[in-house]
Amino acid sequence: ETGVTQTPRHLVMGMTNKKSLKCEQHLGHNAMYWYKQSAKKPLELMFVYSLEERVENNSVPSRFSPECPNSSHLFLHLHTLQPEDSALYLCASSQVAGPYQETQYFGPGTRLLVL
Amino acid sequence: QKEVEQDPGPLSVPEGAIVSLNCTYSNSAFQYFMWYRQYSRKGPELLMYTYSSGNKEDGRFTAQVDKSSKYISLFIRDSQPSDSATYLCASPGSSNTGKLIFGQGTTLQVKP
């Protein structure tokens, strides 16, 4: 596997379910990100982790719970979601978090549908 | 007012055309800008970045920043069907935590 991988690629869940999204980066990076991409809306940053420490929480509801056990893995735990949470969830990584010249590398995303 | 704004299109052009994609930003303190390209069912990939004003060229692609009008552009020369994708402009704004502010994205279709 190379680059940034995400599983599952597609997920359908009910509002009472609990599920987790997984992201893995194979680039040796120290920063990882979760983004939400909704139809007709800009890509929106959710969380930033640097060296497994959360450094940015962009006012995300508590029904989204991130976890970064090491610099290669990032999870997004989902519970009691709403239909408006249906979107493409993208993971990204970069060498470090912060300097504007750091390129972020994105995974293919998980397409989530909440019924 | 959104910090970075972009016309979502869609934009359809014939193969070989010159394409102009544009964004505006609201904060004059923004200095660093990127263009990402996103193919269908894929994540965005960095295409080009520019700092402050002026032009930057990479092959068929030219990125331009006009700070006086807070306007950023991406020009694609000799467009190809493989250029069909959504183009996203972005800026880190004043963030030092890696946060990027994205425009809505413009969907481009290049017809053979």
Side-chain angles (χ1 to χ4, degrees):
Chain A
E1 291 279 13
T2 58
V4 181
T5 58
Q6 291 187 243
T7 55
R9 293 295 307 276
H10 297 89
L11 179 63
V12 180
M13 60 187 289
M15 288 190 283
T16 58
N17 291 159
K18 288 184 180 181
K19 296 286 185 182
S20 295
L21 309 184
K22 179 183 175 183
C23 174
E24 184 173 1
Q25 59 93 2
H26 309 266
L27 301 168
H29 289 166
N30 293 308
M32 297 188 77
Y33 310 77
W34 279 118
Y35 285 88
K36 177 182 178 182
Q37 189 173 36
S38 304
K40 300 188 186 342
K41 289 186 178 180
L43 199 62
E44 184 181 356
L45 179 73
M46 300 175 75
F47 302 104
V48 181
Y49 276 83
S50 177
L51 297 171
E52 299 125 57
E53 179 182 343
R54 193 188 311 178
V55 297
E56 181 85 37
N57 179 342
N58 200 28
S59 303
V60 179
S62 59
R63 57 185 184 269
F64 295 91
S65 176
E67 178 190 2
C68 187
N70 55 63
S71 58
S72 298
H73 294 86
L74 185 65
F75 294 89
L76 188 62
H77 304 299
L78 316 171
H79 64 98
T80 58
L81 294 192
Q82 304 299 310
E84 60 264 29
D85 297 321
S86 300
L88 180 68
Y89 288 85
L90 290 159
C91 173
S93 72
S94 64
Q95 185 60 52
V96 295
Y100 53 78
Q101 64 267 38
E102 285 296 326
T103 300
Q104 293 183 24
Y105 296 83
F106 284 82
T110 295
R111 176 72 61 184
L112 173 67
L113 177 62
V114 182
L115 300 175
Chain B
Q1 184 182 8
K2 294 177 184 175
E3 292 184 283
V4 177
E5 294 206 60
Q6 192 174 3
D7 185 340
L11 182 63
S12 182
V13 301
E15 183 176 354
I18 297 174
V19 177
S20 173
L21 302 167
N22 306 296
C23 285
T24 58
Y25 61 98
S26 59
N27 191 330
S28 57
F30 289 6
Q31 295 193 75
Y32 193 76
F33 304 94
M34 299 94 153
W35 284 97
Y36 279 81
R37 179 175 60 195
Q38 185 174 20
Y39 289 114
S40 180
R41 299 185 184 86
K42 301 273 188 178
E45 58 177 341
L46 181 67
L47 196 58
M48 294 184 71
Y49 65 87
T50 57
Y51 180 69
S52 195
S53 283
N55 291 359
K56 183 174 182 178
E57 190 173 319
D58 184 1
R60 296 184 295 112
F61 297 88
T62 300
Q64 187 176 79
V65 177
D66 182 345
K67 287 182 71 67
S68 62
S69 56
K70 297 200 280 286
Y71 204 78
I72 54 179
S73 302
L74 178 70
F75 299 97
I76 308 174
R77 291 183 299 280
D78 187 25
S79 56
Q80 304 295 310
S82 58
D83 295 328
S84 298
T86 297
Y87 291 80
L88 306 163
C89 59
S91 175
S94 53
S95 168
N96 61 358
T97 59
K99 177 178 179 177
L100 291 178
I101 306 164
F102 281 87
Q104 190 174 338
T106 300
T107 300
L108 171 67
Q109 183 181 26
V110 181
K111 295 185 176 179

